[in-house]
Amino acid sequence: MTENAQQQPPAPSTDLPTQYAPADVEGPLYERWVERGYFEADEKSDKPPYTIVIPPPNVTGSLHLGHAFQHTLMDALTRRKRMQGYEALWLPGMDHAGIATQNKVEQQLAEEGKSRHDLGREEFVERVWQWKEEYGGRILGQMRRLGDGVDWSRERFTMDEGLSKAVLTIFKRLYDDELIYRAERIINWCPRCLTAISDIEVEYQEDAGELVSIRYGEGEDSLVVATTRAETMLGDTAVAVHPEDERYKHLVGKLIKLPLTDRSIPVVADEHVDPEFGTGAVKVTPAHDPNDFEIGRRHDLPSLTIMDEHGVITVHGPFIGLDRFEARSAVVGALKEQGRIVAEKRPYMHSVGHCSRCKTTVEPRLSMQWWVKVGPLAKAAGDAVRDGRVKIHPEDMSKRYFDWVDNMHDWCISRQLWWGHRIPIWYGPDGEVVCVGPDDEPPTGEGWTQDSDVLDTWFSSGLWPFSTLGWPEKTPDLKKFYPTDVLLTGHDIIFFWVARMMMFGLYAMDGEAPFHTIALTGLVRDEFGKKMSKSNPNAVDPLVWMDAYGSDAVRFTLANGANPGADVPIGEDWVKASRNFTNKIWNATRFALMNGATIEGPLPDASEMSAADRWILSRLNTTVAQVDAYYDDYQFAKLADALYHFAWDEVFDWYVELSKTTFFAGGEPARVSGRVLGEVLDVMLRLLHPVIPFVTDALWTTLTGGESLVIGDWPKDSGFRDKAAEQEIELVQRVVTEVRRFRKDQGLKDGQKVPARLDLTGTVLAPHEAAIRQLLRLQPEGDAFTATATLPVAGAEVALDLSGTIDVSAERKRLAKDLAAAEKEKSQANGKLGNEAFLAKAPDHVVDKIRTRLAKAEEDIARIQAQLERLPQA
């Protein structure tokens, strides 16, 4: 091939800018999609439905990497289904976030020197609505930045009129079916938020406390109990021992003196007590411990509440008014003065519950609350998965689901807040209790009052899959789009949300589960696998990365790490790499358009195509099939990886490079390859679109003149395969790869040209000589050519003239030095592995490491010797 033939001809004009600028493309393009109604689902359509409801973010929230991660995956699923011809609905909305939102507004009031009680309930709730309109929902705008293809016309809020009606309806039905009841039980109480919180809203962590052992009673009628919460002894109403514990049989049924008080309490026998733990005797405080509460019920013990809702002691003179933690020290001090402290251990590390919202230590507290009887509801939720109506993906996550629904305790649904769905129970002057449904008139008259509590936020969000579609009305939306197809969410909220939706959906919708598949993801972590949190310096605002690298780059990075159920590490360098990928797609497509890539006319017959043309089409259809299979199995990381390597490695690095000589030469082969390249780019951009929608839509509309990829067709595997072409191009790749490796070993620069003679006689490589020379920067051999190195590869022979390109003598010295080092390493490793005494004592991992070093040394020796043999004589 001549030098002139290798020169690129002048480029024709193109509509694409020379560089991709995400900020110039993404915002305007998203608004165009929304304005044209691409994301709006038609409930009257004859297309098959595909529905995903978004896990509603808190109205107080902002987009974090966890949101961006799950939204990317949900968007990819929905966009693909839309392209496949489904009536795809991805329904957005927000949760009113009871405690979190009330705290926001209370903080705002505090800055004004006021509390909610200064305003009163109605005015405070109105203030919260004002806050919501002014500050809430910031995340919705951030979702647009990410490219969420949600149906904004159907946006919902859990306090909307329709959703509120759904809440009242299901409360009334559950109440009438005796599945909601009111009872005094031990609940988790937050002294900061001043409300009950559910078990799943308590976060446990190891705290440094103290364990004190206290002697109750006198002389032979005494025993020792140990506790980490000495202050609660003021509410003790018994001491419990195991019925078979011989040490205490003489005390069972007797009364002993409770220190610091003027009360005597009984010793009771209860099988709950572990006689092997501690002294085998436990203090019983029914009003301040869930286990003690159950012991109290079994033995008909009184329950004494010793602190108020703020955690302040309300009994026993010297301690009244002390905070619970102040009282703990004071009680221990008083017991020491009486000689009652037998032993102390501090620090004593133990698991302590904290409010998941404000991190305050939770206080178990006896309280009158509203509860859902979950037994029959939870059984139905378990059965729906066991009998296959609902699939959990990955399947090994099913165990976590069953562990929860099979052992679920009754659910405390009342919260002592003002913001939320108020419990629809009215109390009459003569003890009447009336549950009021959405179509009922509440009772009026003197003495009638409504329950002051509101419902747990998860009560309303548990209705989300059907309340957002208009339930309890029989709406066209509900008929078309329920049940939803897939719930994609983090495995960390199986307990919070997934189980609630399963219970309520099966109950309200006559046994029809709210979704066919539960696809569980892991959590986003930093590049070192550490959990991200606002309190750590590793927390990342995805909007910062979007500004710097584009939304597509962030989306592709997240999808590329999304293995089912597994946590997702992410670092900025990976986002940069994804940005490079989007730039590569842009630049390569621009080059293709400048060199004749087109979708005009039918695809040429295979007989008119080159081997490279047939190879890339064969690989294209294989990739289509792979990507479809990965989508159907929720293998986002695998599909992203397959698309990355197909686009970058096979299309850009090989096919485009192999075709350059064809394009530059012109004529009919260039026309055929231009049509093939246009086909490949068309399909490739369609495949990539659900994950990286912005850059692909901008490029595809330029390439094809089509309206938008959002409403484009999803590609199908045509069935075209050409194994012979694939094998032929694999041989070309072997030749190029081997010679490139040799060039690198010799220290040649990538662009450095080397005279070469190619003997491709009798191989399928002959038609590819021009392309091989182009890829390897190999010049014609010329009259003064001297073969100083010869490489046999893939049945061919490549002879290179390295004279004048490298200092052979210096290169031999360098390789000789490396060879000596490798041989020394081999000798040392062999010496240790041949030493029986060493092998007998050394741990397995140490021996394995030495074997690895030996294998590496032998590999290095073989490589260096081969390089030396290929070098010309100095």
Side-chain angles (χ1 to χ4, degrees), residues 473-484:
E473 308 302 327
K474 295 181 179 179
T475 64
D477 273 5
L478 193 64
K479 182 178 179 181
K480 177 75 174 180
F481 297 112
Y482 187 92
T484 67

Side-chain angles (χ1 to χ4, degrees), residues 762-823:
T763 73
V764 295
L765 297 168
H768 303 285
E769 179 172 349
I772 291 171
R773 286 185 176 275
Q774 171 79 14
L775 287 163
L776 291 171
R777 305 294 190 267
L778 301 180
Q779 294 177 312
E781 53 194 276
D783 296 336
F785 178 81
T786 302
T788 58
T790 302
L791 285 76
V793 57
E797 191 173 88
V798 180
L800 304 174
D801 184 354
L802 300 179
S803 59
T805 60
I806 62 172
D807 183 337
V808 176
S809 178
E811 184 65 11
R812 281 190 172 278
K813 287 180 180 178
R814 183 184 72 80
L815 289 173
K817 183 179 179 181
D818 290 347
L819 181 60
E823 288 175 337

